[in-house]
Amino acid sequence: MRELADLTRDDVADLAARSVLVLPVGAVEQHGPHLPLITDTMIVCTVAQRAVTALGDRVPTVLAPTLPFGHSEHHLFACAASLKPATLTAVLSDLIESLHTSGFTRFFLINGHGGNDETVRSVSKSIVNRLPVAVATANYWQLGGPGAPPRDGADVPGHAGWWETCLAMATRPELVHTEKFTAEPLGPRGLHSYEPTPGLNVQRHGEWARSGGTTDPAAGAAGMIGAAIIQAKVDGLVDALVRFDELTGSTR
Amino acid sequence: MRELADLTRDDVADLAARSVLVLPVGAVEQHGPHLPLITDTMIVCTVAQRAVTALGDRVPTVLAPTLPFGHSEHHLFACAASLKPATLTAVLSDLIESLHTSGFTRFFLINGHGGNDETVRSVSKSIVNRLPVAVATANYWQLGGPGAPPRDGADVPGHAGWWETCLAMATRPELVHTEKFTAEPLGPRGLHSYEPTPGLNVQRHGEWARSGGTTDPAAGAAGMIGAAIIQAKVDGLVDALVRFDELTGSTR
Amino acid sequence: MRELADLTRDDVADLAARSVLVLPVGAVEQHGPHLPLITDTMIVCTVAQRAVTALGDRVPTVLAPTLPFGHSEHHLFACAASLKPATLTAVLSDLIESLHTSGFTRFFLINGHGGNDETVRSVSKSIVNRLPVAVATANYWQLGGPGAPPRDGADVPGHAGWWETCLAMATRPELVHTEKFTAEPLGPRGLHSYEPTPGLNVQRHGEWARSGGTTDPAAGAAGMIGAAIIQAKVDGLVDALVRFDELTGSTR
Amino acid sequence: MRELADLTRDDVADLAARSVLVLPVGAVEQHGPHLPLITDTMIVCTVAQRAVTALGDRVPTVLAPTLPFGHSEHHLFACAASLKPATLTAVLSDLIESLHTSGFTRFFLINGHGGNDETVRSVSKSIVNRLPVAVATANYWQLGGPGAPPRDGADVPGHAGWWETCLAMATRPELVHTEKFTAEPLGPRGLHSYEPTPGLNVQRHGEWARSGGTTDPAAGAAGMIGAAIIQAKVDGLVDALVRFDELTGSTR
Amino acid sequence: MRELADLTRDDVADLAARSVLVLPVGAVEQHGPHLPLITDTMIVCTVAQRAVTALGDRVPTVLAPTLPFGHSEHHLFACAASLKPATLTAVLSDLIESLHTSGFTRFFLINGHGGNDETVRSVSKSIVNRLPVAVATANYWQLGGPGAPPRDGADVPGHAGWWETCLAMATRPELVHTEKFTAEPLGPRGLHSYEPTPGLNVQRHGEWARSGGTTDPAAGAAGMIGAAIIQAKVDGLVDALVRFDELTGSTR
Amino acid sequence: MRELADLTRDDVADLAARSVLVLPVGAVEQHGPHLPLITDTMIVCTVAQRAVTALGDRVPTVLAPTLPFGHSEHHLFACAASLKPATLTAVLSDLIESLHTSGFTRFFLINGHGGNDETVRSVSKSIVNRLPVAVATANYWQLGGPGAPPRDGADVPGHAGWWETCLAMATRPELVHTEKFTAEPLGPRGLHSYEPTPGLNVQRHGEWARSGGTTDPAAGAAGMIGAAIIQAKVDGLVDALVRFDELTGSTR
């Protein structure tokens, strides 16, 4: 695994033109009473590191330091270290632009937090109009197979519910407060967490607070299930990187 | 159908608190050699007007003037009247903010153009953190049923391909240049137009020009098919408005 | 009349270099108890369409979709769908810039709302420093002759007073609530509505609310008078387009 | 004459609530081969100082330091120290906002440069929506009587032509290069310098350079004429300040 | 002394490429009960004028008009005419950029106010990445020798304390209210005014108000001491300009 | 050591009001041919972790995830992942603002990169005017004693020279390419790296490239020396945190 952090400028001069720069994007925000603030960053970082390691030399990749902070304004009813959408847009654009000046032409933004989704996509669409680069984006949870069947009634991926709790337990179990798991939801289902009818998305002021800040109860979560899911996502990211390299490697 | 345009200030004072403000968002951009620049705006406007009319008094709605321009930088290889993402963000935020000052608390942004999708969603998520409002968003093509089976190989919704051409023919056939229909694609398939592997999105500099500016050939498009599809989308929007009203009407 | 909306990309490729792109800019805001919110947009749109039609082939023009929203913060005491000045600046700049990329080099911004005046002018002055274009601007009410003698005491153009009411009655009489006409002003004269001494302009917090939101009473307004005024403005815009074409056509 | 510069914080605490804060806004830009870059700033500063002095105690005024720089991008073909429109907007807004926090509620922006006109007006209209203040604006050349009959063919006020040269000679004659006066224009008449038909304004890329950077020849300019004009403008500003005080003094 | 204000465009065309453009940056803000708001601007302007005069032809300099306003938000508890950091950044960037377009390539920003320090430095570092220019920056109080030994306990330079009062008395004694001098501080020492431990800087909400708005008492201040200090700073600026010219003159 | 990353929302609710939030700010940029891009981030992160650990319970601290990216535009001649100054300003402001909403009132920004210095300070000065918080800032290299005598001729801290190389060797020696150490400088001394005369700072376009990208040769650097220096900086940061807590703990 080649990390941008560890390279010298000479290494970059040698590698940039032919490599895919992988940039994980996380978030620091409340994840219910039982998960740590770092949950999203920790999981996406794990998935990215494992995928890049698994790839080996099949695709030339350089893994950038994870951006630990994302857009989490909706979690400020409890706590978050949040970037506004315009700030996150500027951060991602600046990073791609400066790394392009440094020689990279292919970027893969692997996202770990739903609140970043629109901004990550928007930056990718916009920056290719200005710079001669290719930019792949993916939410890690949408890659690969399911890994394990979801618990009945669990939102996938949801927020701080059964699914994400499984993944956190598989990653850093010592940070998961299993004694705070509940079998009942912490509040009514948030309008933001599902499509009331296909294609319809609803946002409402104060909704995250009303919902208790999680999408579904953590009860039943287990590290072994999380490990299976993570493996599926790692496989999915490996596949996506291979695909991206095939599609953009020869024509650039 | 109540249009914001036609109301007086006294009407607004009477209606705003209980009504859903419906704002269609379009685009003015190249749609291949055969469709007019206004295609997206024209279709979303039609769907919105027909849905609001069909609703009658079941849901109190006020239909705002369509924003005719959207984010279309990727079509500037040929032509577009395009707003930058930050500008479109500001426009939508300003409109919701000022209409909220005017008394509205529920908004439904019905989008007619893929390039607006991330911005429309991002605004909806962000503004509910600042203002005590509920904001629904939907891409018209994701609402309701398919209406008609797609031609084999057609992208749905695609861009200026068979599907969109059907809808344009059902809306303003006199603007459709059937003599320019082709049976073959105008270029290689654009990386932006599909997920090379599930969950993977790829954007690349110059890709829209390379692809010829459409996703698939228009051959076989017909107004009757378009009419069936539009009806399905109108039904879907009616349903979404009813659902949004049920979910947000009583608790506000 | 050639409308940008109706053109294909091939039409634009053919027309852009030699045509004047006409962009009407409107507003959606309170117009007293008797006029619809759309008054400004509706009138400027009418004037622009009729002028472009009347011109025929004398000047090659392409009429863009009207921007329905303008800067109307001062009307938020009652209601408006308003863009902030920086937003309106961005919208107009983006539209000119993208249409210039699409091939146009001559633009005519025809403005329908006093609150847009400074922004429209400022954009025109600023953008010609960046782009090789010519930009004409005009407030429709300042073009051509008076059309009809103003009622005694009426502000011309004023806001939602006798003059504008005449024009609205000539355009869409069904939207004018004649039963709400008054013979007396709705409040004291607003400091913003006149120069207390030549060259002096005064703006004051809350002044629009204090004034009742109109500059002078609507009593006596009539569609026939409005029709004469509109005809004068249409003639004025025709003349301005001819003049602009003469001045910029041969040297570009 | 009370200058903000000379006051202590205790003086401001005593004066702010009842005084009009007068802020002159200038420009530093090419004024042909014969006038100094500071021409606009120098004249508006002179007019403001003389008017405030002449007023004496009739109106409580505090004269702020002149903002020496304005928006002069169009003069960069030769030379200027210029603020972009968004920067000038921010400067004027910040100054009014901070001085309002400091206790002032009435502001008079006296402008000395055509290129600032739209921005000065726009700020005045916009800021009263946010802050409980009254803001007067005026271009000094539009106040009071003509002072002296203009030379035949001279643009009033024009730019670096006969009229402005007279005023510069009346202010700081040692900075005026009379040996560079010409009787002929330095280039064709700039489209920006007149209304080709009433109500029509035209801006064109490169036009200021083509025009030679002045609106009309300086020949015939004389300090005595300039002195008469300046006196008229001082009288006009005195009158405007009295009027503004009458209109806003009692009701605040 | 050559002042930009007094030059014509032909003078600039002749001088710009070889000259150093000197731009003083000041502030308008409360300086305790005894000093005028203009203190910083007045002193930096004096130092700059005297240094440029003393230099004579040794270094080709052009002195720009002083920017009278700086970043003084922290003094708004009493009074200030303040630019926000982003505004001051834009002003300085715009001025350098436009003067570079006008032919200058070497700039010396001489700063008179602590609150501007970070912004001035940041602009100098940033703009050289975009434009082929050299930019020197200095706080006048850090140039040259001390000039005179500071009073025991006086902060150097401090804010509105003994040191700055000396300089104000040497510059415009008529503006200094000696009757308001105190021997005791006006409040507890502000955390912003010293490093509690080397390398540590602390800012706290409301701290300037708590401190009484000055860093130390004015008692004992004298014009003669101020004159000696100013002379030292003038000598320091002369030296800095010579040094800057040596370092950047030959290689450009 | 309490890390924000590991806390749950309940932990934050318990700790925020009384704790100091410590935020390390780094950079990813070229550090000569021998040091990794991550050098600044790695060192500041190490210093911060060790100081917070050493403090134990003496001061209640919460250590935030390190911001790995800073302002490094000047290193783009070789390579960097850089945020523009306005972006870095937004990131730091957003983080403080959101963490303040989450309950924190005391922040300590520990900076690891010279190019961030002005922005970090500027944010701290500015944000305390808006929010009721205290913000400490420090560059780690300016805290505590020297730790070890610098090699003759070495810049302290310099950039990628002897001093920083020592620290990198003490932190992650496996990332230091000792075989690329040189005894001679890689280019002429950069104007940005010293004060040519006290108080004078000079920035010049292209200077970093001319200088070879380091301030002085790495020859002679040793991990043992670096360890002593780091210990001194850790001690300095411990001292600064104790001091900050004493100064702001009781009065808040």
Side-chain angles (χ1 to χ4, degrees):
Chain A
M1 178 174 65
R2 267 188 297 261
E3 296 206 44
L4 183 67
D6 299 350
L7 303 181
T8 65
R9 69 188 194 192
D10 297 345
D11 298 332
V12 172
D14 180 47
L15 291 165
R18 69 174 186 275
S19 299
V20 174
L21 193 289
V22 180
L23 175 64
V25 185
V28 174
E29 65 184 30
Q30 75 83 21
H31 272 76
H34 62 295
L35 292 183
L37 303 187
I38 201 68
T39 298
D40 291 346
T41 298
M42 168 179 93
I43 297 174
V44 76
C45 197
T46 297
V47 170
Q49 284 175 340
R50 287 185 45 189
V52 168
T53 303
L55 260 177
D57 288 337
R58 279 184 291 162
V59 174
T61 57
V62 172
L63 181 62
T66 298
L67 178 67
F69 309 108
H71 172 57
S72 306
E73 282 178 342
H74 43 308
H75 291 292
L76 284 173
F77 74 93
C79 71
S82 172
L83 306 180
K84 290 174 185 154
T87 304
L88 183 55
T89 297
V91 168
L92 297 175
S93 301
D94 285 7
L95 292 179
I96 293 176
E97 187 177 327
S98 57
L99 288 165
H100 173 250
T101 304
S102 305
F104 291 95
T105 62
R106 297 189 294 163
F107 299 86
F108 196 115
L109 306 188
I110 176 72
N111 177 34
H113 167 53
N116 299 337
D117 176 66
E118 294 82 9
T119 303
V120 165
R121 284 175 194 255
S122 176
V123 166
S124 78
K125 286 187 169 182
S126 202
I127 208 156
V128 299
N129 294 323
R130 293 196 281 123
L131 300 178
V133 297
V135 183
T137 59
N139 297 318
Y140 82 86
W141 61 87
Q142 294 178 323
L143 295 173
R151 199 202 56 189
D152 195 52
D155 266 16
V156 176
H159 177 78
W162 175 87
W163 194 86
E164 214 168 46
T165 303
C166 288
L167 275 68
M169 293 173 83
T171 314
R172 291 188 59 195
E174 74 279 12
L175 295 181
V176 179
H177 297 253
T178 52
E179 78 281 7
K180 298 205 174 163
F181 285 11
T182 62
E184 295 304 310
L186 301 182
R189 194 173 191 198
L191 291 177
H192 48 257
S193 67
Y194 66 106
E195 296 192 345
T197 190
L200 173 65
N201 294 281
V202 179
Q203 304 293 330
R204 186 163 57 167
H205 186 73
E207 191 74 4
W208 274 98
R210 269 188 295 275
S211 75
T214 67
T215 51
D216 57 282
M224 215 169 346
I225 305 173
I229 297 172
I230 286 180
Q231 186 58 49
K233 301 309 160 187
V234 169
D235 294 345
L237 180 51
V238 164
D239 178 52
L241 280 160
V242 168
R243 212 61 198 98
F244 180 55
D245 183 55
E246 288 169 0
L247 288 165
T248 60
S250 57
T251 63
R252 299 203 66 82
Chain B
M1 179 173 64
R2 266 188 297 261
E3 296 206 46
L4 183 67
D6 300 350
L7 304 181
T8 66
R9 68 188 195 191
D10 297 345
D11 298 332
V12 172
D14 180 47
L15 292 165
R18 71 174 184 275
S19 299
V20 175
L21 192 288
V22 180
L23 175 64
V25 184
V28 173
E29 64 184 28
Q30 74 84 20
H31 272 76
H34 62 295
L35 292 183
L37 303 187
I38 202 67
T39 299
D40 291 347
T41 298
M42 165 179 98
I43 297 174
V44 76
C45 196
T46 297
V47 170
Q49 285 174 341
R50 288 186 43 190
V52 168
T53 303
L55 260 177
D57 289 336
R58 279 183 290 161
V59 175
T61 57
V62 172
L63 181 63
T66 298
L67 178 66
F69 309 108
H71 172 57
S72 306
E73 283 178 341
H74 43 309
H75 291 294
L76 284 173
F77 75 92
C79 70
S82 172
L83 305 181
K84 291 174 184 155
T87 304
L88 183 56
T89 297
V91 168
L92 297 176
S93 301
D94 284 7
L95 292 179
I96 292 176
E97 188 177 327
S98 57
L99 287 166
H100 173 250
T101 304
S102 306
F104 291 95
T105 62
R106 297 189 294 163
F107 299 86
F108 196 115
L109 306 188
I110 177 73
N111 177 35
H113 167 53
N116 298 337
D117 175 67
E118 293 82 9
T119 302
V120 165
R121 284 175 193 255
S122 177
V123 166
S124 77
K125 287 187 169 182
S126 203
I127 208 156
V128 297
N129 295 322
R130 294 196 281 122
L131 300 178
V133 297
V135 183
T137 59
N139 297 317
Y140 82 85
W141 60 87
Q142 294 179 321
L143 295 173
R151 196 202 58 189
D152 195 51
D155 266 16
V156 175
H159 177 78
W162 174 88
W163 193 86
E164 214 169 47
T165 303
C166 288
L167 274 68
M169 292 174 83
T171 314
R172 291 187 60 193
E174 74 279 14
L175 295 180
V176 180
H177 297 252
T178 53
E179 78 281 8
K180 298 206 175 161
F181 285 10
T182 63
E184 295 303 310
L186 301 182
R189 196 173 190 199
L191 291 178
H192 48 257
S193 67
Y194 66 106
E195 296 192 346
T197 189
L200 173 65
N201 294 281
V202 179
Q203 304 292 331
R204 186 162 56 168
H205 186 72
E207 191 74 4
W208 274 97
R210 269 188 295 275
S211 75
T214 67
T215 52
D216 57 282
M224 215 170 343
I225 305 173
I229 297 172
I230 286 180
Q231 185 59 49
K233 301 308 160 188
V234 168
D235 293 346
L237 179 52
V238 164
D239 178 52
L241 281 161
V242 168
R243 210 62 197 95
F244 180 55
D245 182 54
E246 288 168 1
L247 288 165
T248 61
S250 57
T251 64
R252 300 204 65 84
Chain C
M1 180 173 62
R2 265 188 299 259
E3 296 206 46
L4 183 66
D6 299 350
L7 303 181
T8 66
R9 68 189 194 190
D10 297 345
D11 298 332
V12 172
D14 180 46
L15 291 166
R18 69 175 187 274
S19 299
V20 175
L21 192 289
V22 180
L23 174 64
V25 185
V28 173
E29 65 185 28
Q30 74 83 22
H31 272 76
H34 62 296
L35 292 183
L37 302 187
I38 202 67
T39 299
D40 291 347
T41 298
M42 166 179 96
I43 297 175
V44 76
C45 197
T46 298
V47 170
Q49 285 174 341
R50 288 186 43 190
V52 167
T53 303
L55 261 178
D57 289 337
R58 278 184 291 162
V59 175
T61 56
V62 172
L63 181 63
T66 298
L67 178 68
F69 309 108
H71 172 57
S72 306
E73 282 178 342
H74 43 307
H75 291 293
L76 283 173
F77 74 93
C79 71
S82 173
L83 305 181
K84 289 173 186 156
T87 305
L88 183 55
T89 297
V91 168
L92 297 175
S93 301
D94 285 7
L95 293 179
I96 293 176
E97 189 176 325
S98 58
L99 287 165
H100 174 249
T101 303
S102 305
F104 291 95
T105 62
R106 297 189 295 162
F107 298 86
F108 196 114
L109 306 187
I110 177 74
N111 177 35
H113 167 52
N116 297 338
D117 176 66
E118 293 82 10
T119 302
V120 166
R121 285 175 193 255
S122 177
V123 166
S124 77
K125 286 187 168 182
S126 202
I127 208 156
V128 297
N129 294 322
R130 294 196 281 122
L131 300 178
V133 297
V135 183
T137 59
N139 297 317
Y140 82 85
W141 61 87
Q142 294 178 322
L143 295 173
R151 196 202 59 189
D152 195 49
D155 266 15
V156 176
H159 177 78
W162 174 87
W163 194 87
E164 215 168 45
T165 303
C166 289
L167 275 67
M169 294 173 82
T171 314
R172 291 187 60 193
E174 74 279 13
L175 296 180
V176 180
H177 297 252
T178 53
E179 77 282 8
K180 297 206 176 161
F181 285 11
T182 63
E184 295 304 310
L186 301 182
R189 195 173 191 197
L191 290 177
H192 48 257
S193 68
Y194 65 106
E195 296 192 347
T197 189
L200 175 65
N201 294 281
V202 179
Q203 304 292 330
R204 187 162 57 168
H205 186 72
E207 192 74 4
W208 273 96
R210 270 188 293 276
S211 75
T214 67
T215 51
D216 58 281
M224 215 171 345
I225 304 174
I229 296 173
I230 285 179
Q231 185 59 50
K233 301 308 162 188
V234 168
D235 294 346
L237 179 51
V238 165
D239 178 51
L241 281 160
V242 168
R243 208 68 195 93
F244 180 55
D245 183 54
E246 288 169 1
L247 288 166
T248 60
S250 57
T251 64
R252 299 203 67 81
Chain D
M1 178 175 62
R2 265 188 299 259
E3 297 205 45
L4 183 67
D6 299 350
L7 303 181
T8 66
R9 69 189 194 189
D10 297 345
D11 298 333
V12 172
D14 181 46
L15 292 165
R18 70 175 186 274
S19 298
V20 175
L21 192 289
V22 180
L23 175 63
V25 184
V28 173
E29 64 183 30
Q30 73 85 21
H31 271 77
H34 62 294
L35 291 184
L37 302 187
I38 201 67
T39 298
D40 291 347
T41 298
M42 168 179 95
I43 296 175
V44 77
C45 197
T46 297
V47 170
Q49 284 174 341
R50 286 185 46 189
V52 168
T53 303
L55 260 179
D57 288 339
R58 277 184 290 164
V59 175
T61 57
V62 171
L63 182 63
T66 298
L67 178 67
F69 308 107
H71 172 57
S72 306
E73 281 178 342
H74 43 308
H75 292 292
L76 283 173
F77 74 93
C79 70
S82 173
L83 305 181
K84 289 172 186 156
T87 305
L88 182 55
T89 297
V91 168
L92 297 176
S93 301
D94 284 7
L95 293 179
I96 292 176
E97 187 176 327
S98 57
L99 287 165
H100 174 249
T101 304
S102 305
F104 291 94
T105 61
R106 298 190 293 163
F107 298 86
F108 196 115
L109 305 188
I110 176 74
N111 177 35
H113 167 52
N116 299 337
D117 177 66
E118 293 82 10
T119 303
V120 165
R121 284 175 194 256
S122 176
V123 167
S124 77
K125 285 187 170 182
S126 202
I127 209 158
V128 299
N129 294 324
R130 293 196 282 122
L131 300 178
V133 297
V135 183
T137 58
N139 296 317
Y140 82 84
W141 62 86
Q142 294 178 322
L143 295 174
R151 197 201 57 187
D152 195 49
D155 266 16
V156 176
H159 177 77
W162 174 87
W163 193 86
E164 214 169 45
T165 302
C166 288
L167 274 68
M169 293 174 83
T171 313
R172 290 187 61 193
E174 73 279 12
L175 295 180
V176 179
H177 296 254
T178 52
E179 77 281 7
K180 298 204 174 161
F181 285 11
T182 62
E184 295 303 311
L186 302 182
R189 195 173 190 197
L191 290 177
H192 49 257
S193 67
Y194 66 106
E195 295 192 345
T197 189
L200 174 64
N201 294 281
V202 179
Q203 305 292 331
R204 186 163 56 168
H205 186 72
E207 191 74 5
W208 273 97
R210 270 188 294 277
S211 76
T214 67
T215 50
D216 57 282
M224 213 164 354
I225 304 173
I229 297 172
I230 286 179
Q231 186 58 50
K233 301 307 162 188
V234 169
D235 293 346
L237 180 51
V238 164
D239 179 51
L241 281 160
V242 168
R243 212 60 199 97
F244 181 55
D245 183 55
E246 288 169 0
L247 288 166
T248 60
S250 58
T251 63
R252 299 203 66 80
Chain E
M1 179 174 65
R2 266 188 298 260
E3 297 206 46
L4 183 66
D6 299 350
L7 303 181
T8 65
R9 69 188 194 190
D10 297 344
D11 297 332
V12 172
D14 181 46
L15 291 165
R18 69 175 187 275
S19 298
V20 175
L21 192 288
V22 180
L23 175 64
V25 184
V28 173
E29 64 183 29
Q30 74 83 21
H31 271 76
H34 62 294
L35 292 183
L37 302 187
I38 202 66
T39 299
D40 291 347
T41 298
M42 165 179 97
I43 296 175
V44 76
C45 197
T46 297
V47 170
Q49 286 174 338
R50 286 186 46 190
V52 168
T53 303
L55 260 178
D57 288 339
R58 279 184 290 163
V59 175
T61 57
V62 172
L63 181 62
T66 298
L67 178 68
F69 309 107
H71 172 57
S72 306
E73 281 177 345
H74 43 308
H75 292 293
L76 283 173
F77 74 93
C79 70
S82 173
L83 306 180
K84 289 173 186 157
T87 305
L88 183 55
T89 297
V91 168
L92 297 175
S93 301
D94 284 7
L95 293 179
I96 292 176
E97 188 175 327
S98 56
L99 287 165
H100 174 250
T101 304
S102 305
F104 291 95
T105 62
R106 297 189 295 163
F107 298 86
F108 196 116
L109 305 188
I110 177 73
N111 177 35
H113 167 53
N116 299 338
D117 176 67
E118 293 81 11
T119 303
V120 165
R121 284 175 194 255
S122 177
V123 166
S124 77
K125 286 186 169 181
S126 201
I127 208 158
V128 299
N129 295 323
R130 293 197 282 123
L131 300 178
V133 297
V135 183
T137 59
N139 296 317
Y140 82 84
W141 60 87
Q142 294 178 322
L143 295 173
R151 198 201 57 188
D152 196 49
D155 267 16
V156 176
H159 177 78
W162 174 87
W163 193 86
E164 213 168 47
T165 303
C166 289
L167 274 69
M169 293 174 83
T171 313
R172 290 188 61 194
E174 75 279 13
L175 295 181
V176 179
H177 295 253
T178 53
E179 78 282 7
K180 297 206 175 160
F181 285 10
T182 62
E184 296 304 311
L186 302 182
R189 195 172 191 198
L191 291 177
H192 48 256
S193 67
Y194 66 105
E195 296 192 345
T197 190
L200 174 65
N201 294 282
V202 180
Q203 304 292 331
R204 187 164 55 170
H205 186 72
E207 191 74 4
W208 273 98
R210 271 189 293 276
S211 76
T214 66
T215 52
D216 58 281
M224 215 169 345
I225 304 173
I229 296 172
I230 285 180
Q231 185 59 49
K233 300 308 161 189
V234 169
D235 293 346
L237 180 51
V238 164
D239 179 51
L241 282 161
V242 168
R243 212 61 199 98
F244 180 55
D245 183 54
E246 288 169 0
L247 289 165
T248 60
S250 58
T251 63
R252 298 204 66 81
Chain F
M1 179 173 65
R2 265 188 298 260
E3 297 207 46
L4 184 66
D6 299 350
L7 303 181
T8 65
R9 68 188 195 192
D10 296 344
D11 299 331
V12 173
D14 180 47
L15 292 165
R18 68 175 187 275
S19 299
V20 174
L21 192 288
V22 180
L23 175 64
V25 185
V28 174
E29 64 184 29
Q30 74 84 20
H31 272 77
H34 61 295
L35 292 183
L37 303 187
I38 201 67
T39 298
D40 290 348
T41 298
M42 165 179 96
I43 297 175
V44 76
C45 197
T46 298
V47 171
Q49 284 174 340
R50 288 186 44 189
V52 167
T53 303
L55 260 178
D57 288 338
R58 279 185 291 163
V59 175
T61 57
V62 172
L63 182 62
T66 298
L67 178 68
F69 308 108
H71 172 57
S72 306
E73 281 178 344
H74 43 307
H75 292 293
L76 284 173
F77 75 93
C79 70
S82 173
L83 306 181
K84 289 174 186 156
T87 306
L88 182 55
T89 297
V91 168
L92 297 175
S93 301
D94 284 7
L95 293 179
I96 293 177
E97 189 176 326
S98 57
L99 287 166
H100 174 250
T101 303
S102 305
F104 292 95
T105 63
R106 297 189 294 163
F107 299 86
F108 196 115
L109 306 187
I110 177 73
N111 177 35
H113 167 53
N116 298 338
D117 176 67
E118 293 82 9
T119 303
V120 166
R121 285 176 193 255
S122 177
V123 166
S124 77
K125 286 187 168 181
S126 202
I127 208 157
V128 298
N129 294 322
R130 293 197 281 123
L131 301 177
V133 297
V135 183
T137 59
N139 297 317
Y140 82 85
W141 60 87
Q142 294 178 323
L143 295 174
R151 198 202 58 186
D152 196 51
D155 266 17
V156 176
H159 177 78
W162 174 87
W163 192 87
E164 214 168 45
T165 304
C166 289
L167 274 68
M169 293 174 82
T171 313
R172 291 189 60 196
E174 73 279 14
L175 295 180
V176 179
H177 297 252
T178 52
E179 77 282 6
K180 296 207 176 160
F181 285 10
T182 62
E184 296 303 311
L186 301 182
R189 195 173 190 197
L191 290 177
H192 48 257
S193 69
Y194 66 104
E195 296 192 345
T197 190
L200 174 65
N201 295 282
V202 179
Q203 305 292 331
R204 187 163 56 168
H205 185 72
E207 191 75 4
W208 273 98
R210 269 188 294 275
S211 75
T214 67
T215 52
D216 58 281
M224 216 172 343
I225 304 174
I229 296 173
I230 286 180
Q231 185 59 50
K233 300 309 162 189
V234 168
D235 294 345
L237 179 51
V238 165
D239 179 51
L241 281 161
V242 168
R243 211 64 198 95
F244 180 54
D245 183 54
E246 288 169 3
L247 289 165
T248 60
S250 57
T251 64
R252 299 203 66 81

